[in-house]
Amino acid sequence: MKTFAAFAIGLLFGLGLVVSQMTNPVKIIAFLDLTGNWDPSLVIVMAAALAVSFVGYRIALGRGKPVFEEDFQLPSKTLIDRQLVVGAGVFGAGWAMAGLCPGPGFSSIASGGVISVGFIAAMAAGMKGRDFIRL
Amino acid sequence: MENFTPLSAALGGGLIGVAAVLFMALHGRIAGISGIAAGVLAPAAGDWGWRIAFIAGLVAAPFAVWLVSGDLPPFEPVYPLWLTMLGGVLVGFGARLGGGCTSGHGVCGMARLSSRSIAATIVFMATAIVVTFAIRHSGAHP
């Protein structure tokens, strides 16, 4: 049940990405390119997702414990350290080069073919690479 | 701004928010895609099935749309494969080093008003805008 629920939630998350066209690189680059024909759609996607999750998290976390687990697994770090800033910077540069981030990478395999699969393979290599570089 | 699609953006964003809330209510976790995917590469005992299932759901979404509408969602690449893959390496590396990506920091962490996530989101947005400017004005991809 826990595994099936994860599939259903992943599907719902992916449908959100597809419906909002965040799986189309041209939409991402049109947002990031302020000097071109600017497309602010991504701001609306984030604002809507934030509004729903801001309210929903308060309800979910107020229930004390999640349905399938004993505890909530929430990040405990609060310090804005060098890893966070450098990592976010590197991530942003890669996002701009690919026009894809992790979620849209997976949800665009159907339509993006080799571009999306190549992105996912490269992303996995980058994730593994993190384990070998001390920063 | 004739390519601005506010209605589908709000609907899709709302679905992403509902998915994030359900994941917290049921699994007790942040719906951060880079974190979920990284856990597949370094599996811990009993921690693999739900990760694969979540990613399978992400992959299945456009096929579900195709079953209903008969059309796959549009995909218009902007840059060649080599630049996309170079970007992919940086996305994977940066997301692990920075502890999250657009979903984990940009949606879930910001919804928790996490100062780390707010900082990360500002940094990756600013960097992505600067790098896009550089690519667009380098002459390689006008």
Side-chain angles (χ1 to χ4, degrees):
Chain A
M1 194 60 206
K2 177 182 155 187
T3 307
F4 177 76
F7 174 79
I9 293 169
L11 183 67
L12 192 62
F13 197 108
L15 286 174
L17 293 172
V18 168
V19 166
S20 59
Q21 298 178 59
M22 294 296 101
T23 49
N24 190 353
V26 82
K27 288 291 276 185
I28 308 302
I29 303 300
F31 164 73
L32 295 174
D33 188 5
L34 302 183
T35 62
N37 185 16
W38 192 53
D39 177 2
S41 303
L42 190 144
V43 179
I44 306 293
V45 177
M46 277 189 76
L50 269 174
V52 171
S53 46
F54 180 81
V55 175
Y57 271 7
R58 266 136 200 88
I59 298 168
L61 293 167
R63 291 168 52 87
K65 79 187 253 319
V67 173
F68 298 131
E69 306 289 342
E70 289 306 308
D71 305 293
F72 291 106
Q73 302 272 322
L74 300 176
S76 52
K77 284 190 197 170
T78 54
L79 186 70
I80 299 171
D81 53 17
R82 196 170 49 120
Q83 280 95 333
L84 180 87
V85 175
V86 174
V90 171
F91 173 83
W95 186 33
M97 292 177 193
L100 291 167
C101 53
F106 288 113
S107 290
S108 68
I109 289 174
S111 53
V114 72
I115 294 259
S116 304
V117 173
F119 171 80
I120 294 292
M123 179 178 86
M127 287 178 166
K128 271 290 175 198
R130 165 70 185 105
D131 298 339
F132 298 101
I133 296 177
R134 288 172 67 110
L135 270 173
Chain B
M1 294 207 312
E2 70 268 17
N3 48 7
F4 182 38
T5 51
L7 288 179
S8 61
L11 177 63
L15 290 174
I16 293 167
V18 170
V21 171
L22 284 173
F23 202 51
M24 185 62 77
L26 298 179
H27 299 76
R29 286 175 177 270
I30 294 285
I33 311 302
S34 58
I36 293 172
V40 172
L41 296 173
D47 189 49
W48 208 68
W50 66 266
R51 292 177 188 271
I52 288 289
F54 192 105
I55 290 171
L58 286 176
V59 174
F63 292 105
V65 169
W66 173 71
L67 279 176
V68 175
S69 73
D71 291 310
L72 281 172
F75 186 94
E76 300 153 86
V78 181
Y79 303 129
L81 181 62
W82 71 266
L83 190 57
T84 305
M85 289 186 69
L86 181 59
V89 171
L90 298 182
V91 161
F93 184 88
R96 289 324 294 149
L97 183 61
C101 60
T102 8
S103 51
H105 279 316
V107 175
C108 301
M110 295 248 286
R112 292 176 60 233
L113 304 179
S114 152
S115 54
R116 275 173 60 86
S117 291
I118 293 167
T121 305
I122 291 170
V123 170
F124 71 62
M125 284 280 181
T127 314
I129 287 168
V130 169
V131 170
T132 297
F133 184 87
I135 294 172
R136 288 298 201 184
H137 296 268
S138 68
H141 294 280

